[in-house]
C-alpha cells in the first residue's frame, strides 16, 4: 500500500489589520490487490478525502479586537460498507477581544461554527450540528 500526496500552506499579512492563512491538501493511495481485501467492509485509506481546503482570515477591528472567519472544504469520500459521503463546505465566524486588567491578560470571545447551516457528515451515520454557538473566556498568567 502506498499513501501519497501534497500539502501547501501560505500565510499572508496585509498591513497591521489583516491576516490570512490558506491550506490545500491532496492525498491518494494505491494498493496491490491480494484477495484478502474481498471480505473487508472498508479499506481505511479509501475513506480519506482526496482534496481538502482550509481558509482563515482575521481582521483587527480595533485594539486587540479581532473579527475572524474560517472556512473548510472536504471532498467527497467513501465510507464504511460501500456508502459515499458528499463533499461539504463550512463557514465559522467569531470575534475575540483581548485586554489587560491588573497585569493579567484576559480574552473574551463569541463564535458560531457552521454559520451557513450546512448538512454534512464527517463520519458515516453521524450528522454534524447545524450550528454551534459559543462563548469563551480566558486568562493568561
Amino acid at each position: 500500500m502506498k499513501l501519497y500526496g501534497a500539502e501547501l500552506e501560505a500565510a499572508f499579512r496585509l498591513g497591521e489589520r489583516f491576516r490570512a492563512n490558506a491550506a490545500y491538501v491532496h492525498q491518494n493511495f494505491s494498493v496491490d490487490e491480494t484477495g484478502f481485501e474481498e471480505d473487508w467492509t472498508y479499506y481505511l485509506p479509501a475513506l480519506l478525502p482526496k482534496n481538502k481546503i482550509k481558509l482563515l482570515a482575521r481582521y483587527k477591528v480595533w485594539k486587540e479586537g479581532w473579527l475572524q472567519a474560517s472556512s473548510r472544504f472536504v471532498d467527497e469520500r467513501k465510507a464504511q460498507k460501500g456508502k459515499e459521503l458528499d463533499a461539504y463546505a463550512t463557514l465559522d465566524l467569531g470575534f475575540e477581544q483581548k485586554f489587560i486588567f491588573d497585569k493579567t491578560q484576559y480574552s473574551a470571545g463569541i463564535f458560531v461554527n457552521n454559520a451557513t447551516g450546512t448538512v454534512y457528515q464527517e463520519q458515516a451515520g453521524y450528522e454534524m450540528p447545524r450550528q454551534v454557538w459559543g462563548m469563551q473566556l480566558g486568562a493568561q498568567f
Side-chain angles (χ1 to χ4, degrees), residues 97-118:
Q97 178 67 54
K98 292 184 180 180
F99 54 93
I100 295 176
F101 179 75
D102 197 26
K103 299 182 183 177
T104 303
Q105 182 175 331
Y106 295 93
S107 64
I110 57 171
F111 63 89
V112 58
N113 292 340
N114 193 15
T116 56
T118 300

Side-chain angles (χ1 to χ4, degrees), residues 47-105:
L47 303 184
L48 300 172
K50 286 189 178 183
N51 299 292
K52 294 190 288 186
I53 300 170
K54 292 183 182 180
L55 304 170
L56 168 69
R58 292 179 56 132
Y59 181 75
K60 190 175 189 178
V61 180
W62 51 71
K63 184 177 180 177
E64 299 302 325
W66 291 90
L67 185 61
Q68 180 171 297
S70 64
S71 181
R72 69 184 173 130
F73 167 79
V74 177
D75 208 354
E76 64 185 14
R77 64 225 177 271
K78 292 184 180 179
Q80 298 90 339
K81 299 183 181 181
K83 188 177 178 181
E84 276 204 15
L85 295 175
D86 294 331
Y88 66 89
T90 62
L91 174 66
D92 302 337
L93 301 172
F95 179 79
E96 180 182 39
Q97 178 67 54
K98 292 184 180 180
F99 54 93
I100 295 176
F101 179 75
D102 197 26
K103 299 182 183 177
T104 303
Q105 182 175 331

Side-chain angles (χ1 to χ4, degrees), residues 72 114 118-123 126-131:
R72 69 184 173 130
N114 193 15
T118 300
V119 176
Y120 69 100
Q121 296 180 15
E122 288 184 357
Q123 292 186 352
Y126 297 95
E127 294 277 334
M128 297 303 290
R130 285 289 187 134
Q131 280 98 18

Side-chain angles (χ1 to χ4, degrees), residues 20-51:
N21 290 35
Y24 171 72
V25 175
H26 175 78
Q27 51 197 9
N28 209 342
F29 74 98
S30 61
V31 63
D32 294 331
E33 294 188 16
T34 62
F36 289 111
E37 69 278 352
E38 292 176 8
D39 293 329
W40 296 350
T41 56
Y42 67 93
Y43 188 59
L44 188 59
L47 303 184
L48 300 172
K50 286 189 178 183
N51 299 292

